[in-house]
Amino acid sequence: MKEKIIETSIELFDQKGFKETSVQDIVESIGVTKGTFYYYFKSKEELLGDICLTYIEDLVRQQEQILEDPNKDCTAKLYDIVYMLINNIKTQRRSARIFFREMRHLNELHLQEIKAKRRVFRENYQKLIEEGITKREFKNNPNPDMLTFGILGITNWSYYWFNPEGEVSEEKLAEIYVDLILNGIKKSD
């Protein structure tokens, strides 16, 4: 039942927004009582925190699996992480939108926990960029932190507009992004 509440809430939060969705809306969609909801969650805000935390923990777990692969160089790992984020738009689009759009409704305690996980994700990315610079796979850049934020900006915004069922596949978009990241858009002579 807890999973059903979460799934229904993700759907409703994505459609109507967190503030506009009531606990009553959630329980009516499932056909249960408010008591059932409150058995699993103390509040709607706690439910939102759980949705956001689950989303970011899953991303960190996937990212760390990619980074731990000893058979891939930094460029391949960069592609794999970018692809993983784009692919998650297909599999986790609603959770991603809720994560980025509704996180502002969380109390400070939930927010700190999620920000800590988000920081781990960013730091893992930055370590990869730094390793690629050290191994001379990537250009020497005095600001790997800014590169990391730029890469995150490019990929994270995709969940707003990218249609995985459209004419560009996740693989192709990941290739486009990695090429942009590694080579820019200026034509080389």
Side-chain angles (χ1 to χ4, degrees):
M1 180 53 65
K2 183 176 183 179
E3 280 303 310
K4 184 69 174 163
I5 292 170
I6 292 169
E7 288 171 18
T8 301
S9 299
I10 288 170
E11 188 175 316
L12 291 171
F13 291 168
D14 186 47
Q15 288 172 2
K16 297 171 63 172
F18 173 76
K19 287 190 83 126
E20 291 74 24
T21 302
S22 67
V23 172
Q24 188 64 39
D25 293 334
I26 296 166
V27 298
E28 282 179 4
S29 291
I30 302 171
V32 297
T33 65
K34 282 187 178 180
T36 303
F37 177 90
Y38 289 114
Y39 176 79
Y40 295 103
F41 299 99
K42 293 177 188 164
S43 66
K44 186 174 74 160
E45 191 270 335
E46 180 185 58
L47 169 62
L48 177 62
D50 192 52
I51 291 167
C52 291
L53 187 60
T54 299
Y55 176 75
I56 190 64
E57 284 176 339
D58 185 52
L59 288 182
V60 170
R61 182 189 54 74
Q62 290 179 67
Q63 181 194 49
E64 288 176 346
Q65 285 178 336
I66 292 166
L67 293 172
E68 291 167 4
D69 188 340
N71 299 316
K72 293 190 176 180
D73 62 12
C74 295
T75 303
K77 289 177 182 180
L78 176 66
Y79 172 84
D80 287 350
I81 293 171
V82 169
Y83 173 76
M84 177 266 295
L85 289 168
I86 300 301
N87 185 276
N88 269 301
I89 292 172
K90 181 192 286 187
T91 60
Q92 302 293 324
R93 179 181 215 117
R94 290 176 182 222
S95 293
R97 280 200 292 242
I98 291 165
F99 180 81
F100 290 107
R101 188 180 69 205
E102 306 293 354
M103 198 168 44
R104 69 184 187 276
H105 298 296
L106 294 173
N107 68 37
E108 194 56 37
L109 182 63
H110 281 122
L111 206 50
Q112 285 177 5
E113 188 177 15
I114 290 163
K115 283 182 176 181
K117 297 288 183 183
R118 205 170 59 177
R119 186 172 41 257
V120 167
F121 189 86
R122 180 186 51 78
E123 288 170 351
N124 286 343
Y125 232 142
Q126 185 170 331
K127 287 176 192 169
L128 175 63
I129 300 300
E130 291 168 349
E131 181 183 344
I133 291 169
T134 300
K135 291 182 174 180
R136 299 182 182 270
E137 283 184 58
F138 305 150
K139 293 177 190 173
N140 188 12
N141 189 301
N143 301 102
D145 55 337
M146 293 297 109
L147 291 174
T148 302
F149 282 117
I151 293 167
L152 286 169
I154 291 169
T155 53
N156 287 348
W157 196 252
S158 300
Y159 78 92
Y160 268 116
W161 63 266
F162 179 62
N163 177 5
E165 307 305 322
E167 60 187 59
V168 176
S169 69
E170 303 101 84
E171 294 88 355
K172 184 62 179 170
L173 183 59
E175 288 173 19
I176 291 168
Y177 279 172
V178 171
D179 181 58
L180 174 66
I181 293 163
L182 296 176
N183 302 310
I185 62 171
K186 187 174 181 183
K187 184 177 179 179
S188 58
D189 296 326

